[in-house]
Amino acid sequence: MPAPSGCHEQPLRWTGDAGALLPARVELGVFDVPVTVGGTAGRAILDTGAPLSIIDPTAFPSERFAQGHAAGPDLSLGEVRLTGPKVLAVATGAQVGGDPVTVLVGADLLCHFEATFDYRDAAVQLSAPAAPRDVQAALELPVDIRGGGVGQVQLSGTTTVVQFPPTRALVTVTLDGAPRRLVLDTGASMTVLSKSAFDALVADGRRTLAGASASTVMGVQDVLLTRVRTLKLGELELSGTIVSRLDGALWGALSQETGQQIDGLLGGTTLREALLTVSYPQKKVTLRRYGSRAHVRDELVRVGASVGPLSSGGYAISSVFPGSDAAAKGLTVGTQLLSVDGQDLASLRQPEVDLLLRGTAGATKTLRTPAGTLSVRVEDLLPL
C-alpha cells in the first residue's frame, strides 16, 4: 500500500546556507552540479524522479562506503553539507551527455528542502528563491507525494532488499484536453509518456519522428517523438512541447508503487519554461514562467542529423533523419564530423556539439567532414 506521507519526515542532518546559489550545467534538460563526497570533489545529477540517492564508490576510492542502503560519507552541495546521508553505493553505468553519473542526488535527500531549479540561469537553490528576476507571477500547483516501499537492487552481484520512502511527486498535466498523471522528474531530459498515453495523443494523425534518442540517467534510449499542441500544468499553458514515448515495464511498476495510473514523467522539455520550486513538506510546486524563452533551444529545430562519440576521439554522424536537408545533401551515418561553422569538435562534450547543430529554421550550418564541407539547412524536423 502507498505510504501516506512524504520522505521529509525521515531524519537528515545538514548545515549551511540552503539559499546559496549552486551553479549548474543544464545540458539535455538535466541538472549537473559540483559535489564533494567526503573530501573528494565530483559532480552530481539532481533527480526528483529517483527515490534513492546513489554514489559510485569506484569514483571515490579514498572514501569508505557501507554495504546496502546505509549512511555514507558527508555530502556537500555548495554551502550545504549533509552529514552521513543514506546512499546506495553502487556503480550504475549510467551516463548523461556521454559523462558517467557518479553521484545521483535523489528525492530522498531533495525532499528535505524547497529545491529551486533555474533552467534559464543554470543554478540551483535548496530553498525558495528570494527575489527572482524577469519572471511572471508565481503559480502554485498541489502535488501528491506517494509511493515508497520495499525493492530489490543488485549490489556486487548480490540481491539486496532496500526500503525507500514516499518520494513520487505526482502532478496532473492536461495534454490537448486529456488529463494525465505524471511524475515530476528533473532527471528526465524530456517529458516522457507511456505507450498508451502517447498513442492516444497521436491518434489524430499528427506527425511523429523516429530515429531520435534521449539521454537520461537510465542511459541513452531510442524514442519516438511528437509535439503537444496545448499542454496545461495548472495555470501554466504551453504550446509545441516535445514529448517522447517510452515502452516497457516502468509504467506498471510506478502505478503499482503509487496506487495510481501513471502516464509519464514530467521532464526537461516542459519544466525548462519556468523557474521551478519543489516543496515536499508543503506538497506543492511553484512555477514562475520566465519573461523570455531565449534560453530554450528546441531540440528538433536543427540540422537533420545527430552525432555520437567515436572510440578514437571526436564525433561521427549517428543518425540522419529521412526527408531532411541533411539526408538530401548525402550526409550518412558513420561519417566523421570535424567541425560545425568553423568550431572544431575534438575538445567539446557531446551536449555542446549537439547545441551547435541547432539553430533558427531556414539558417544554414557549415559541416566539415574528411571529404570536405557541406552547407546544410536548419529545419523544424517535427512541425505541428
Side-chain angles (χ1 to χ4, degrees):
M1 292 292 293
S5 58
C7 74
H8 63 279
E9 296 177 350
Q10 306 294 319
L12 177 69
R13 291 184 296 154
W14 64 274
T15 58
D17 180 7
L21 282 175
L22 179 62
R25 291 192 308 223
V26 186
E27 298 172 335
L28 303 173
V30 176
F31 282 81
D32 174 1
V33 301
V35 67
T36 302
V37 177
T40 309
R43 299 198 69 84
I45 299 297
L46 304 186
D47 186 359
T48 61
L52 295 176
S53 296
I54 299 172
I55 299 179
D56 179 355
T58 65
F60 303 93
S62 61
E63 308 299 334
R64 298 184 64 182
F65 296 89
Q67 289 292 318
H69 186 223
D74 289 358
L75 192 68
S76 294
L77 295 165
E79 296 186 23
V80 172
R81 186 176 184 88
L82 312 181
T83 304
K86 293 183 72 172
V87 297
L88 274 175
V90 59
T92 66
Q95 294 187 343
V96 171
D99 295 332
V101 176
T102 57
V103 181
L104 181 71
V105 177
D108 58 331
L109 299 182
L110 293 172
C111 70
H112 295 272
F113 303 92
E114 279 194 286
T116 297
F117 299 86
D118 191 341
Y119 288 81
R120 180 191 62 195
D121 295 336
V124 173
Q125 288 176 274
L126 296 178
S127 70
R133 67 174 185 85
D134 192 24
V135 294
Q136 298 179 14
L139 304 174
E140 291 189 355
L141 183 70
V143 297
D144 192 8
I145 308 298
R146 298 180 69 88
V150 176
Q152 295 182 339
V153 294
Q154 290 291 324
L155 300 175
S156 302
T158 302
T159 300
T160 301
V161 176
V162 297
Q163 187 167 7
F164 51 98
T167 62
R168 307 294 188 182
L170 308 187
V171 295
T172 298
V173 180
T174 303
L175 306 176
D176 289 344
R180 300 293 183 185
R181 289 293 266 176
L182 273 61
V183 176
L184 182 70
D185 191 352
T186 60
S189 59
M190 294 185 178
T191 291
V192 183
L193 300 179
S194 66
K195 182 180 186 300
S196 60
F198 187 95
D199 289 351
L201 187 66
V202 302
D204 60 2
R206 74 185 65 192
R207 296 188 186 202
T208 61
L209 183 67
S213 61
S215 180
T216 74
V217 295
M218 295 181 290
V220 178
Q221 303 183 42
D222 293 331
V223 293
L224 185 65
L225 306 177
T226 194
R227 291 190 190 271
V228 180
R229 293 188 175 92
T230 304
L231 182 151
K232 293 183 179 179
L233 181 59
E235 296 180 36
L236 181 68
E237 184 172 319
L238 307 173
S239 61
T241 303
I242 301 169
V243 297
S244 62
R245 189 185 84 182
L246 179 64
D247 302 343
L250 173 64
W251 312 114
L254 284 174
S255 298
Q256 182 176 11
E257 179 190 335
T258 60
Q260 296 189 10
Q261 179 175 316
I262 301 302
D263 300 305
L265 307 175
L266 188 64
T269 49
T270 302
L271 298 175
R272 65 188 177 188
E273 301 286 348
L275 182 66
L276 168 70
T277 301
V278 185
S279 175
Y280 289 83
Q282 298 180 47
K283 296 184 179 180
K284 70 175 184 180
V285 166
T286 303
L287 302 164
R288 298 171 173 87
R289 191 167 189 170
Y290 294 116
S292 165
R293 297 187 74 248
H295 67 288
V296 176
R297 303 282 298 277
D298 192 301
E299 292 83 354
L300 298 181
V301 181
R302 60 181 300 123
V303 166
S306 298
V307 298
L310 291 169
S311 58
S312 57
Y315 295 91
I317 301 300
S318 58
S319 64
V320 178
F321 295 98
S324 67
D325 188 54
K329 295 291 176 61
L331 205 59
T332 57
V333 171
T335 299
Q336 186 177 10
L337 187 60
L338 302 174
S339 70
V340 177
D341 289 340
Q343 172 70 60
D344 185 79
L345 307 184
S347 62
L348 299 183
R349 301 171 57 253
Q350 187 170 346
E352 296 171 321
V353 176
D354 191 74
L355 280 174
L356 291 177
L357 296 175
R358 304 183 203 177
T360 303
T364 58
K365 297 281 185 178
T366 300
L367 310 185
R368 184 167 65 89
T369 72
T373 60
L374 293 171
S375 182
V376 182
R377 188 172 69 252
V378 173
E379 52 200 313
D380 187 346
L381 300 177
L382 191 58
L384 278 172

